[in-house]
C-alpha cells in the first residue's frame, strides 16, 4: 500500500520507471515480487490513510541524531479483529493522540510531560 500513485503503477508494471535514481529500487521490487505466490500493490490516497499521515507528521517533528540507528516500525494487518488487547475506555476520555494534536497546534507540552536534556537520549 502506498500514497504515491506513480510508484504503485510503476511497481505494477503499468508505467515505466524513467528516473535513473529509481531504477535500482524498481529492480529490487521486481526481484522481491518473484519470491511471492501473489502480490498486490494498492494506491491509497493520503487523506484516506490517517495512520500514515500521523506517522509522517510525527517523523517530521522528532529530532534524532544522524548517527543513531532507528528500528523500523512494524505494523501487521490482521484478517480478523483482535479483541485480546482491547483497552476499556472511560467516557469523556480524550483519544490517545490528543496530546500530540494539541502540541502540533499550540507547541506546548502537556503538564505531566517530563523533560530530559539532549545528552540523555
Amino acid at each position: 500500500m502506498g500514497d504515491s500513485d506513480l510508484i504503485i503503477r510503476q511497481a505494477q508494471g503499468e508505467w515505466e520507471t524513467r528516473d535513473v535514481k529509481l531504477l535500482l529500487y524498481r529492480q529490487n521490487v521486481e526481484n522481491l515480487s518473484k519470491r511471492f505466490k501473489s502480490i498486490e500493490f494498492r494506491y491509497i490516497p493520503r487523506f484516506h490513510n490517517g495512520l500514515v499521515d500521523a506517522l509522517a507528521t510525527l517523523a517530521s517533528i522528532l529530532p534524532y541524531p544522524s548517527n543513531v540507528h532507528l528500528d523500523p516500525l512494524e505494523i501487521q494487518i490482521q484478517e480478523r479483529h483482535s479483541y485480546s488487547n482491547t483497552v476499556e475506555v472511560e467516557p469523556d476520555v480524550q483519544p490517545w493522540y490528543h496530546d500530540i494534536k494539541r502540541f502540533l497546534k499550540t507547541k506546548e507540552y502537556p503538564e505531566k510531560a517530563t523533560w530530559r536534556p539532549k545528552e540523555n537520549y
Side-chain angles (χ1 to χ4, degrees):
M1 291 186 242
D3 64 0
S4 170
D5 190 37
L6 172 67
I7 298 297
I8 295 297
R9 289 180 184 258
Q10 288 174 341
Q12 291 172 331
E14 294 178 25
W15 293 354
E16 288 181 35
T17 304
R18 294 183 182 173
D19 188 341
V20 177
K21 295 178 289 202
L22 297 178
L23 288 174
L24 259 176
Y25 291 108
R26 168 64 194 269
Q27 187 61 48
N28 283 334
V29 169
E30 285 179 15
N31 292 340
L32 288 171
S33 296
K34 293 174 186 174
R35 296 181 178 186
F36 297 91
K37 288 181 183 177
S38 75
I39 190 165
E40 179 182 350
F41 299 97
R42 270 196 237 162
Y43 167 65
I44 299 177
R46 183 168 265 194
F47 61 86
H48 286 302
N49 195 346
L51 178 61
V52 169
D53 197 39
L55 290 174
T57 301
L58 287 173
S60 69
I61 64 171
L62 294 175
Y64 64 91
S66 60
N67 61 345
V68 172
H69 171 75
L70 296 177
D71 289 326
L73 176 65
E74 287 188 33
I75 299 174
Q76 295 179 353
I77 299 174
Q78 302 294 323
E79 294 294 323
R80 291 179 271 170
H81 295 291
S82 173
Y83 297 102
S84 61
N85 295 327
T86 305
V87 176
E88 295 295 325
V89 178
E90 298 175 23
D92 300 325
V93 173
Q94 299 293 341
W96 66 267
Y97 55 84
H98 171 73
D99 290 330
I100 296 170
K101 189 175 178 181
R102 194 175 115 241
F103 174 79
L104 291 173
K105 285 183 179 178
T106 66
K107 301 292 186 229
E108 296 175 6
Y109 288 101
E111 291 176 19
K112 297 179 183 177
T114 58
W115 178 82
R116 293 184 298 178
K118 195 170 191 173
E119 60 271 0
N120 290 339
Y121 282 88

